[in-house]
Amino acid sequence: MWKRKVIKKKAMALMKQGYFRILPVCFLIAMLTTAYSFSTTFLNLQISSGSLGNDAAYVSGIPNSEAILDIAVHLLEGTALSGILNGILYDFLSMIIDLFSTNISVFFSFIRTANYFLTDGFSSVLIFSAISILFALVYQIFVSNILLIGEKRFFMENRNYPQTAISKIFFLYKLRYLRHPAWIMFSRTLFQSVWNLTIVGGIIKHYEYILIPYILAENPKISRKDAFFLSKQLMRRNKRKFFLLDLSFLGWHILSLFTLGLLDLLFVNPYITSCRTELYATLRRNYVLSRSAKYEELNDSYLEHVPSDDELLIIKALYDDSQGPYTKISYFAPEQYPVFLFSVQPPLKAVRSPFRADRRYDLLSYLFLFPAFSIFGWVLEAVINLINRGVIQSHTPLYGPWILLYGIYGILILFLLKRLIRKPVAVFLINALLYSLLEYFINLGTELASGEGLRNYSEFLLNLDGKVYLGGTIAFALIGCAFLYYLAPRWADRYMKLGHSKRILLCTVLYILLIADIVFSVCISS
């Protein structure tokens, strides 16, 4: 048996020990998945309604509340309930829906598509909106769900390995092992959605399935049937107590309402996830010790037993003889989980060919990366707008697939932040400051030159003179980290594999197209 106070005490101790690594993990999960939707409310909160908010690339053009409530009003038109939905009740429901929902959602993409159909009938917008459902589904399956498993893995390792890296949330990507856990998580979501139709059954199944991500984080190879079975067995006679544990955080959630989710981001989410992880560890330990059915599927003993240096040396010597993927890499990171002992091993090329984020870039590489980042920004905004708004749109004065803000920003951070590569938190904060200054002065310059800024963020609560806002700053800071740590070294490596003449030719073609687009856009606008 377990006690709520003991679980909370242990979770708080873990929080104190590794808060400055736990916080970035929960922040990344809040930004990249649908797990902590309320936590980011303060970033993108709009203080009035209108069209100005459409300038923000990472905010839905049609709020979730408007999409779902407009459908309700349309379907109830002519009835007594239609009048009830108007006025104060409409505003109240809008606030609740927008506070506790997220933009990148299969459900709300479907609702927006239905809304377009009811208001405009069949049109090209409806087709793109329908495509957005597919994009949202793919994102949910292969990004959101995979990162949620990674989050659980981080917290599980962090209990006994105090230097667990923040990048652990991407561990399934590093292992190149996605399809099987993605399928199980999709099945969990599908079954949960069906059970939610019964309301009470949905609550029961929520707690019956709640440990599946933890089980997958421990053993990604487990079968779907066994994952569901073990979660059910571990939660047997524990669903009510788990519900009471969740209920005990109600006061924190109410308090967080007054901070528009900031308290959730800084404290509540890390605390709750730490408690749930500690509870999983307790239930798992008792289940394994009791040798209950399928206990051998919970096969990662090193989550509980931390090997000594002597054990590691002996195991590594035996491992070297087995010619595994880590054979030529001495991996004894202090106070970190020994990855060469994990049940799933990555492909050989994933281990032998690491990319150095602090690598040097020559002039041709910089010349290539500028248009590459600009094109990437256009594609990224087009996909996000397709998911959120059902249209392919990128806010750029050019006619071609370029957003030069991304190119300028990407090259600046490569120049300025390479020396801080081993300090990701500092890199993120400087990225945020650098982007804020860059976009502010670009908008200011455009406004002075043409009388109108390139983008207008006046509707957002946390904006600076309408030229930059906090939500966009955070989003771009994350993109900047992706440029620095992942995209730039990989793209530059592939570019350098081309012959010298091909590299020059590629850059020449890209810049001819870019300059031609700029000249054409200026001529048209004038």
Side-chain angles (χ1 to χ4, degrees):
M1 296 296 290
W2 54 275
K3 294 184 178 180
R4 192 162 63 243
K5 289 184 178 180
V6 175
I7 294 295
K8 287 189 171 184
K9 185 177 180 180
K10 290 182 178 179
M12 189 60 73
L14 289 174
M15 286 267 292
K16 291 178 179 178
Q17 173 185 292
Y19 176 75
F20 290 104
R21 283 176 297 102
I22 291 174
L23 178 62
V25 167
C26 290
F27 172 74
L28 286 171
I29 295 300
M31 294 296 297
L32 299 175
T33 76
T34 59
Y36 307 127
S37 57
F38 179 62
S39 305
T40 57
T41 298
F42 70 99
L43 295 177
N44 297 312
L45 184 65
Q46 291 175 267
I47 56 179
S48 63
S49 59
S51 61
L52 289 174
N54 289 334
D55 285 347
Y58 302 100
V59 178
S60 175
I62 299 178
N64 293 337
S65 57
E66 183 180 331
I68 196 169
L69 291 177
D70 283 359
I71 287 180
V73 171
H74 184 89
L75 293 176
L76 297 173
E77 188 175 359
T79 68
L81 292 176
S82 177
I84 295 175
L85 267 180
N86 292 322
I88 296 176
L89 180 59
Y90 186 98
D91 294 337
F92 174 75
L93 291 175
S94 295
M95 180 185 68
I96 295 299
I97 293 171
D98 288 335
L99 282 177
F100 295 98
S101 63
T102 182
N103 292 331
I104 301 180
S105 163
V106 177
F107 173 75
F108 282 104
S109 293
F110 176 80
I111 291 297
R112 287 192 188 92
T113 302
N115 194 21
Y116 287 134
F117 178 74
L118 291 174
T119 55
D120 300 328
F122 187 84
S123 65
S124 60
V125 174
L126 181 64
I127 295 174
F128 284 117
S129 184
I131 294 173
S132 74
I133 299 175
L134 177 61
F135 275 92
L137 181 62
V138 171
Y139 186 90
Q140 183 74 32
I141 293 173
F142 291 106
V143 179
S144 185
N145 286 345
I146 296 298
L147 290 179
L148 288 176
I149 297 173
E151 179 201 29
K152 307 318 183 223
R153 183 69 198 185
F154 170 85
F155 275 87
M156 288 160 61
E157 288 189 14
N158 187 61
R159 292 179 62 251
N160 290 312
Y161 300 92
Q163 293 302 318
T164 301
I166 296 170
S167 61
K168 184 59 68 172
I169 65 174
F170 304 106
F171 87 109
L172 286 175
Y173 294 103
K174 293 180 179 180
L175 295 176
R176 309 290 198 271
Y177 195 81
L178 301 176
R179 285 183 294 179
H180 184 67
W183 160 244
I184 295 176
M185 289 292 286
F186 171 74
S187 300
R188 172 184 180 250
T189 302
L190 181 62
F191 296 160
Q192 182 67 61
S193 299
V194 174
W195 278 105
N196 285 344
L197 299 176
T198 66
I199 302 176
V200 174
I203 297 173
I204 294 173
K205 290 299 178 179
H206 168 75
Y207 286 100
E208 186 173 300
Y209 299 157
I210 201 168
L211 297 182
I212 289 176
Y214 289 95
I215 294 169
L216 286 171
E218 178 172 355
N219 181 9
K221 288 186 174 181
I222 192 171
S223 69
R224 181 183 64 82
K225 182 179 179 180
D226 287 346
F228 278 80
F229 173 80
L230 282 174
S231 183
K232 180 179 180 179
Q233 291 300 107
L234 290 171
M235 290 301 296
R236 189 179 182 186
R237 300 191 183 92
N238 287 300
K239 289 188 283 290
R240 178 177 171 275
K241 292 183 69 177
F242 208 128
F243 171 75
L244 293 176
L245 175 65
D246 284 347
L247 198 63
S248 69
F249 298 113
L250 182 61
W252 285 111
H253 288 304
I254 294 174
L255 189 60
S256 186
L257 283 172
F258 295 98
T259 66
L260 298 176
L262 181 60
L263 183 62
D264 265 11
L265 195 65
L266 296 178
F267 177 76
V268 180
N269 294 336
Y271 185 32
I272 291 176
T273 309
S274 295
C275 286
R276 289 182 172 184
T277 304
E278 193 59 46
L279 178 55
Y280 171 74
T282 300
L283 296 176
R284 173 199 178 280
R285 186 185 309 115
N286 294 338
Y287 194 82
V288 171
L289 290 175
S290 66
R291 298 294 191 269
S292 299
K294 302 288 184 179
Y295 81 93
E296 63 276 2
E297 295 293 341
L298 303 175
N299 58 7
D300 196 346
S301 61
Y302 293 104
L303 289 173
E304 292 290 338
H305 167 65
V306 180
S308 65
D309 291 342
D310 290 340
E311 283 182 89
L312 281 175
L313 287 170
I314 294 171
I315 296 171
K316 187 65 167 68
L318 296 173
Y319 178 87
D320 286 344
D321 293 337
S322 68
Q323 295 297 311
Y326 291 104
T327 297
K328 295 185 178 181
I329 295 180
S330 179
Y331 197 91
F332 292 97
E335 298 185 305
Q336 290 187 25
Y337 180 92
V339 294
F340 61 90
L341 298 180
F342 190 52
S343 58
V344 179
Q345 294 289 282
L348 197 59
K349 63 180 180 180
V351 177
R352 283 185 172 178
S353 304
F355 290 93
R356 291 176 55 87
D358 57 349
R359 58 168 293 167
R360 291 188 176 186
Y361 299 93
D362 61 12
L363 179 60
L364 274 179
S365 294
Y366 280 118
L367 289 173
F368 165 73
L369 288 173
F370 174 75
F373 288 152
S374 301
I375 294 171
F376 171 82
W378 187 92
V379 173
L380 180 65
E381 289 199 9
V383 171
I384 290 175
N385 280 323
L386 180 61
I387 294 174
N388 285 343
R389 311 178 190 192
V391 294
I392 296 179
Q393 178 187 18
S394 292
H395 194 83
T396 172
L398 302 179
Y399 286 85
W402 332 81
I403 300 183
L404 300 185
L405 177 62
Y406 286 83
I408 297 169
Y409 177 55
I411 296 301
L412 277 177
I413 61 177
L414 291 184
F415 269 118
L416 300 177
L417 299 180
K418 281 197 299 181
R419 293 184 179 181
L420 297 174
I421 206 77
R422 299 187 184 279
K423 299 179 180 179
V425 175
V427 167
F428 173 80
L429 294 176
I430 296 174
N431 267 335
L433 177 62
L434 183 62
Y435 169 75
S436 298
L437 293 173
L438 180 63
E439 184 167 42
Y440 184 88
F441 285 110
I442 286 178
N443 273 325
L444 179 61
T446 307
E447 185 177 303
L448 292 174
S450 64
E452 184 179 354
L454 191 62
R455 301 192 183 194
N456 191 330
Y457 304 121
S458 300
E459 284 198 349
F460 292 93
L461 178 64
L462 300 176
N463 76 84
L464 181 60
D465 199 26
K467 296 177 177 60
V468 66
Y469 79 109
L470 185 58
T473 295
I474 298 300
F476 262 86
L478 290 173
I479 292 169
C481 290
F483 282 165
L484 188 63
Y485 288 100
Y486 188 83
L487 297 177
R490 281 157 178 77
W491 289 353
D493 181 75
R494 285 164 174 75
Y495 177 68
M496 292 301 293
K497 289 180 180 178
L498 300 174
H500 183 71
S501 58
K502 291 182 180 179
R503 296 202 300 271
I504 293 177
L505 177 62
L506 178 58
C507 281
T508 302
V509 171
L510 286 173
Y511 278 94
I512 288 174
L513 293 174
L514 177 57
I515 293 170
D517 192 2
I518 293 173
V519 172
F520 180 75
S521 300
V522 171
C523 292
I524 292 296
S525 62
S526 60

